[in-house]
Amino acid sequence: MITMPARKPRRTAAATRRTPLLLDRAAAKRRLADDTYDVLVIGGGVTGAYAVLDAASRGLRAALVEKDDFASGTSSKSSKMVHGGLRYIEQGNVNLVRHSLLERHRFRKNAPHLVHRLPFLFPILEKEGVFDARLAKGFEGLLWTYDLVGGWRIGKLHQRLTVPEVLAQAPTLRAENLKGGLVYFDARTDDARLVLTIVRTAAALGATVLNGARAESLLMRNGKVAGARVAVDGDSVEIRARAVVNATGVWTDELDAQAVEGHAPRVRPAKGVHIVVPWDKVRINCTVTVPIPGRARRATCTRWGNAVVLGTTDEDYRGSPDDVHCTREEMEFLLEGANTAFEGKLTPDDVVGSIGGLRPLVGGKEGATLDMRRDHHISIGRTGMVTVTGGKLTTSRHMGELVIDKVMTVLGSRARSRTTDLPLLGGAGYDAEAVAASGGLAAHLGERFGTEARFVGDLIQEDPALAEPVVAGLPYTKAEVVYAARAELARSVDDVLSRRTRARLFARDASAEAAATVGAILGRELNLGRAEVERSVADYLASVRHEKSVLLEGAAA
């Protein structure tokens, strides 16, 4: 789409900052204790993040608290796809697809540094494929529907590929039964960094945000929710608010039960997992959908830098929501699919990282979670608390808008949402293609920070030693650790290696070797004592060992 030059500066250009937004943990704690808020959002996943941003954009005095770290639950363990969802067309939920594709377009416009176009390849195989040549014709009709209801906004329509064209994208794909392929286009994102950027954008608009702040109980006044008591850094803080939002995902029922006696649970957790293998073991240049022999499901293999992410499963989950990991059985399921589709032989020794997460689906216990709809549900309880459940990352902006619409009802006020065209920090004025073409450190920082990459670059200008990589084999620099401590409320080694960077996912063992270096940087930046630094490092190493024990031994340690 070609647009005419603007006659005056865009209003949204105000999202571009001249100085870095430095988040002060102590100042946030004081504000939470001293102020009275229009709305308090509990839960720092993508839904809660967009709810507090929407509230701040309407001029409400807003706060967000998260018990662990921003995106530490489901929102750092998703498929990382920003998409309409072909599966939802197969389920007949065309309205969800249409709306999701519109929201995908908005994400790519408002966060061009974080949401990138990605081709998805479906090989057509004579046998043992997702579909054969006969079924491919019907599947192409589904792709036409996808394009027409909104897929076209990404700038490319689906295409048919010849066998050589398929092998150009996936040279290790087994060719003996290959008849061609279909490719369509969606988008992906680093989900944890996306959530963090939404939270920081809210803070830039005046919201108070804090991680490591667990809501222990709700404050009540005349039978209505009036805030929450949170535990933060060993202190107990009462946060007063005229409205409260429960955006805690798979923990929703726990908080709702505090508000309403006899609350009936309504969240059905569905577990999804991903594993990561080195790119040179698979050598694909896009996302390839592969069959699982004898199973009614398919797996996806996505290139991400020098790694390939394999996922995902979709099963009921009945364990603790605070300890979710990929098991050996789930890993072998994904390896089986990859080994069937690609030449060579992937083994458990090739797996360099893994994640397991829970989708907070809404519905009964009957039927497979794979077949459940991904629609969201927003309600106002008897105590006035607004609860949001379900949905998916792609529609999080709209969910946040609808949540605050409900909050306005509780407050008896009116104000229009402004997030439809609101760039996230680093997004205004960012040219993804130009930055990618520059290559090197500029491209790496650009796709993580957008136009705010210059603030990380300033740190390197001041101290060139900060350009050194912090994890062997990965592009993350020591400057990014310093920036995480000063500007992104990173408190621990895990915050940095699991979410501010994705080192744990893409190089688990190398990230463990870097834990002491990260701890030392955090200690200097946050003025932590030696014992506190050593505890943060030890906690991270123990967490990595536990992840590996579940993955390789098949049972929790």
Side-chain angles (χ1 to χ4, degrees), residues 58 194 220 238 258 313 315 345 355 435 437 488 511 521:
R58 300 191 200 204
L194 178 66
M220 307 296 293
E238 289 193 355
Q258 293 185 31
T313 59
E315 301 284 355
K345 181 69 173 179
I355 51 173
V435 174
E488 298 177 343
S511 78
I521 295 173

Side-chain angles (χ1 to χ4, degrees), residues 206-450:
T208 304
V209 298
L210 195 63
N211 52 355
R214 178 187 294 271
E216 295 190 315
S217 61
L218 296 171
L219 303 180
M220 307 296 293
R221 182 181 299 115
N222 300 323
K224 298 293 183 181
V225 174
R229 181 176 291 104
V230 303
V232 51
D233 300 339
D235 298 323
S236 180
V237 176
E238 289 193 355
I239 307 173
R240 298 174 297 278
R242 298 169 59 203
V244 175
V245 172
N246 178 0
T248 56
V250 292
W251 295 270
T252 294
D253 288 322
E254 296 179 17
L255 191 61
D256 274 353
Q258 293 185 31
V260 178
E261 186 176 351
H263 167 73
R266 53 183 168 179
V267 174
R268 182 180 176 185
K271 184 181 180 183
V273 300
H274 295 79
I275 59 174
V276 178
V277 299
W279 174 81
D280 59 11
K281 295 285 185 176
V282 183
R283 294 172 52 208
I284 58 176
N285 298 321
C286 56
T287 291
V288 181
T289 299
V290 300
I292 305 293
R295 310 288 183 96
R297 295 206 304 268
R298 49 190 182 245
T300 58
C301 308
T302 300
R303 180 174 184 177
W304 201 301
N306 291 324
V308 171
V309 181
L310 311 180
T312 179
T313 59
D314 198 326
E315 301 284 355
D316 269 313
Y317 181 78
R318 295 181 176 83
S320 167
D322 296 306
D323 186 25
V324 185
H325 296 282
C326 181
T327 66
R328 187 178 189 96
E329 180 182 8
E330 291 163 335
M331 173 186 65
E332 291 175 344
F333 170 86
L334 294 172
L335 291 176
E336 179 186 8
N339 285 330
T340 299
F342 298 100
E343 297 172 352
K345 181 69 173 179
L346 289 170
T347 72
D349 291 337
D350 294 317
V351 177
V352 299
S354 64
I355 51 173
L358 302 177
R359 300 177 181 90
L361 303 182
V362 183
K365 301 298 182 182
E366 300 300 322
T369 57
L370 186 68
D371 298 326
M372 292 180 66
R373 295 167 74 94
R374 267 44 176 179
D375 301 276
H376 56 263
H377 181 75
I378 304 170
S379 62
I380 302 176
R382 294 199 302 270
T383 61
M385 185 164 69
V386 177
T387 296
V388 53
T389 48
K392 59 198 192 93
L393 182 150
T394 307
T395 58
S396 57
R397 187 214 63 83
H398 188 236
M399 290 167 63
E401 176 183 339
L402 296 180
V403 165
I404 303 305
D405 284 346
K406 292 287 189 183
V407 167
M408 301 306 289
T409 299
V410 173
L411 297 178
S413 302
R414 297 181 64 182
R416 183 173 61 87
S417 173
R418 299 181 180 275
T419 57
T420 300
D421 300 307
L422 178 66
L424 301 185
L425 282 182
Y430 181 78
D431 188 326
E433 289 188 8
V435 174
S438 68
L441 181 60
H444 163 70
L445 295 178
E447 71 173 15
R448 290 171 46 72
F449 301 96

